[in-house]
Amino acid sequence: MKSADKIKQFFKNAELSIHSETDEQVFADMLHARQKIRDKVPAVPENIWRIIMKSPLTKVAVAAVLIIACLIGVLMFSQTSGVAWAIEQSIEAVSKYKAVLVEGSETFLNEDGMLQMRKQKSWAVANEDQTKVKKIRIEVDGVPTIITNGRETWRYDQQTNTVTKNLSYGTAEVWIGSRLLEQLKTFRESGLITKWEVTDSKDSATGKQRIFLTCAWLDKRYNGPRSLWLEIDRQSNLLVGLKQWENADWEGPAQYVAEKITYYENLPDELFEFEIPDGATVIEH
Amino acid sequence: MVEDKLLIFRFKQGNHEALRQIYDKYKVELLKLAVVLIGNRNMAEDIVHDVFVKFAESADRIKLTGSLKNYLVTSVINRVRNHLRDNKRHSETDLDGTELLACSERGPRQWAVLGEQLTLLSNALQELPYEQREVISLRMEMDMTFRRIAALQNASVNTVKGRYRYGIARLRSLLNSEVEK
C-alpha cells in the first residue's frame, strides 16, 4: 500500500463523536440566528409542499409528458361515475402545480441485447401559463444527463465525459396540465385510445383507497403502440404511480416505472444549473 | 448535490427540518476538518459553530453555483485562515493567542469528542506548513480534487500537487509506526 493510501486510511479511521447536549445547543443557536434575521424582514409567504406523483418516461422527458397526459385524459373520459368524479378532481389537483419531481426506473436493452434497468429522476418546471416545460433536470443513476434552465441546455455523457451545450433536449415540451388534458380529450373523442379499464380498490400496503387505470393505444403519431398502468390516490386525487409498456398489451417488463411523484408549486433555479464535471470536454452548439 | 439544493430551498421556505438535515449531514465532517487544520478543539468548534450560524442567517442570500459541501468547506477554510492570521498578529503583540482565542462562545461545554487517532493526526499535521496541511486535509478528508484545491489556494495544480507530496512524506515520517499498523 502506498504512503498516501495508508495516510488516507488513517484519516478515515480518525474518529470524532458529538456531544449530544451541546449539539442541540448549536442547532438552537442556528435557529435563533435565523429567527433574528427573519424578524427584520417582511414575512415571505410560504410555499406549500405536497407529495404527489407523476411519471416521465425515457431519458427525454418529452415522451413522459405525453404519456401522463394520455393517462389523465383517459381517466377524464372514463364512463364510470365514481371514477369520473375522481378524474375530474385529479385534473383540478394537477393543475395547481407548476413543478414536479418524478422518481422511477427505466428498463432498456443494452448493446448486447440484454435487458437492463437504471434509476431515473426528473425535475421539471412549467412556463408561466403551464403550457410547456420550461426547465428540466434529468438524472440517470444519480448523474445529471440533461438539464435546461429555459435559456441553455446541457447534455452530459458520462462514458465519454462530454458535455454538449445548447443542443435541444427534445421536441415535445408540452406541460402536464389542463391544456394537455384538453388535447387528450380530443384523442379520446376521436377514438385514439382503444383500450381502457378503471378499477377502484384499497392499497394493501398502505390501506389507502386507490384508483387504478389501465389504457392502451396503437397510433404511432402518439408514440404508440403503448399501454399504461396508472395509480391515483383517492383522497388527494393525485397520480401516485405509473408504469408504461411499449406495446398495447401490458406485456413483459414495464419500460418505465414511476415509483414516486412529487409536485411542487415551484423548484429552485439552482436545480437547473449544470456544473461541468472535472476534465469534461464541452461541445457548444 | 441536488438534494442539498432542495434542502436549502425548503429551508428558505421556512422548513427547519431541512436546516436540521443540512446540519446533521455536515457537522462531523466540518468539525474534523477544522480540528486537523487548526489543531485546537475549542477553536475548531467555534469556527464550525460560526459557519453554521452564519449559514442559517444568510441562507436567503446564498445562490449556490457548486455544491453545498464545497460552500461550507470554503467557509471553514476562510475562517481558519482568518484565525491563524489574527492569532499570528496577537502573538506578535506578546499575547498567547491560542489560549486567549480558544474561549468558546458556547461556554465550557464540549461539542466534539476526539478519538485518540484524530488527536494524533491533528498534532502531526500541525508540524506541517499550513498550505501543505490544507492540501492534505482537503484531499484526504473531503475528497476534493487537486483542481478545486488549487482554486481555493489560488495556486497552480502543480504547486498543489507538490505541497501534497511533500506533506505526505513529512506526515508519514511523523506518524511512522502509527501508519504502519
Side-chain angles (χ1 to χ4, degrees), chain A residues 13 39 55 82 122 206 229:
Chain A
N13 293 338
D39 289 344
S55 78
S122 301
T206 63
W229 173 92

Side-chain angles (χ1 to χ4, degrees), chain B residues 87-101:
Chain B
N87 198 25
K88 187 179 175 188
R89 198 177 299 149
H90 285 187
S91 298
E92 286 168 355
T93 54
D94 203 25
L95 285 174
D96 185 347
T98 304
E99 290 307 314
L100 188 69
L101 294 173

Side-chain angles (χ1 to χ4, degrees), chain A residues 1-27 29-31 33-38 41 44-47 49 101 121 123 137 139 144 264 266-271 273-280, chain B residues 1-3 5-6 9-14 16 19-20 23 27-28 31-32 35 49 52-53 56-57 59-60 62-67 106 109-115 117-118 120-121 125 136-137 139-141 143 145 147-148 164 168 171-172 175 178-180:
Chain A
M1 189 184 280
K2 291 189 297 185
S3 294
D5 293 335
K6 288 177 180 175
I7 289 174
K8 173 103 179 172
Q9 193 58 44
F10 201 85
F11 263 86
K12 295 296 173 197
N13 293 338
E15 292 180 348
L16 178 150
S17 56
I18 297 288
H19 191 281
S20 60
E21 192 179 333
T22 314
D23 195 41
E24 289 306 317
Q25 182 59 50
V26 173
F27 185 66
D29 290 348
M30 291 170 72
L31 289 181
R34 176 69 177 167
Q35 194 54 49
K36 277 204 300 188
I37 291 295
R38 293 220 121 187
V41 296
V44 178
E46 289 192 0
N47 279 3
W49 290 71
L101 162 62
K121 274 186 175 182
W123 292 260
R137 177 192 185 95
E139 289 189 358
Y264 301 100
N266 209 342
L267 285 168
D269 288 341
E270 290 91 330
L271 264 180
E273 288 169 2
F274 185 73
E275 188 178 4
I276 296 172
D278 284 341
Chain B
M1 194 171 92
V2 172
E3 280 70 18
K5 287 179 177 175
L6 277 173
F9 183 68
R10 286 171 53 206
F11 173 51
K12 287 179 179 178
Q13 305 299 314
H16 290 168
L19 181 63
R20 175 100 229 179
Y23 174 66
K27 64 188 176 190
V28 171
L31 275 167
K32 270 184 77 176
V35 164
H49 176 273
F52 275 123
V53 168
E57 284 177 348
D60 289 327
I62 293 173
K63 186 170 169 60
L64 286 181
T65 52
S67 71
R106 287 167 286 91
R109 283 179 299 180
Q110 191 173 350
W111 183 16
V113 183
L114 312 191
Q117 199 156 320
L118 182 57
L120 200 64
L121 180 64
L125 279 164
I136 289 176
S137 301
R139 183 80 179 153
M140 295 290 185
E141 185 59 37
D143 294 320
T145 63
R147 180 184 292 192
R148 284 197 187 284
Y164 177 76
I168 289 289
L171 199 56
R172 175 76 189 275
L175 293 170
E178 296 297 330
V179 174
E180 298 300 334

Side-chain angles (χ1 to χ4, degrees), chain B:
Chain B
M1 194 171 92
V2 172
E3 280 70 18
D4 283 348
K5 287 179 177 175
L6 277 173
L7 285 174
I8 292 174
F9 183 68
R10 286 171 53 206
F11 173 51
K12 287 179 179 178
Q13 305 299 314
N15 186 324
H16 290 168
E17 182 53 34
L19 181 63
R20 175 100 229 179
Q21 286 180 41
I22 292 169
Y23 174 66
D24 286 341
K25 186 174 178 181
Y26 292 114
K27 64 188 176 190
V28 171
E29 270 184 302
L30 295 181
L31 275 167
K32 270 184 77 176
L33 177 66
V35 164
V36 294
L37 282 175
I38 213 162
N40 178 310
R41 182 184 56 78
N42 283 343
M43 185 48 64
E45 288 178 350
D46 282 352
I47 283 172
V48 177
H49 176 273
D50 190 40
V51 165
F52 275 123
V53 168
K54 287 290 186 292
F55 171 75
E57 284 177 348
S58 57
D60 289 327
R61 301 193 301 275
I62 293 173
K63 186 170 169 60
L64 286 181
T65 52
S67 71
L68 174 59
K69 181 177 175 177
N70 281 347
Y71 173 84
L72 293 171
V73 166
T74 304
S75 300
V76 168
I77 293 286
N78 287 338
R79 280 172 174 76
V80 168
R81 289 175 183 172
N82 288 343
H83 163 70
L84 293 175
R85 191 182 57 237
D86 293 346
N87 198 25
K88 187 179 175 188
R89 198 177 299 149
H90 285 187
S91 298
E92 286 168 355
T93 54
D94 203 25
L95 285 174
D96 185 347
T98 304
E99 290 307 314
L100 188 69
L101 294 173
C103 296
S104 171
E105 293 172 7
R106 287 167 286 91
R109 283 179 299 180
Q110 191 173 350
W111 183 16
V113 183
L114 312 191
E116 186 182 346
Q117 199 156 320
L118 182 57
T119 305
L120 200 64
L121 180 64
S122 175
N123 289 340
L125 279 164
Q126 304 318 301
E127 300 297 318
L128 272 57
Y130 179 73
E131 288 81 5
Q132 288 181 17
R133 199 189 318 160
E134 196 175 87
V135 172
I136 289 176
S137 301
L138 292 174
R139 183 80 179 153
M140 295 290 185
E141 185 59 37
M142 312 309 291
D143 294 320
M144 201 175 271
T145 63
F146 285 123
R147 180 184 292 192
R148 284 197 187 284
I149 299 170
L152 205 56
Q153 292 196 334
N154 196 24
S156 71
V157 173
N158 283 339
T159 300
V160 166
K161 285 181 176 175
R163 287 171 180 166
Y164 177 76
R165 279 197 303 275
Y166 285 120
I168 289 289
R170 176 83 175 120
L171 199 56
R172 175 76 189 275
S173 68
L174 285 165
L175 293 170
N176 54 54
S177 58
E178 296 297 330
V179 174
E180 298 300 334
K181 282 177 182 174

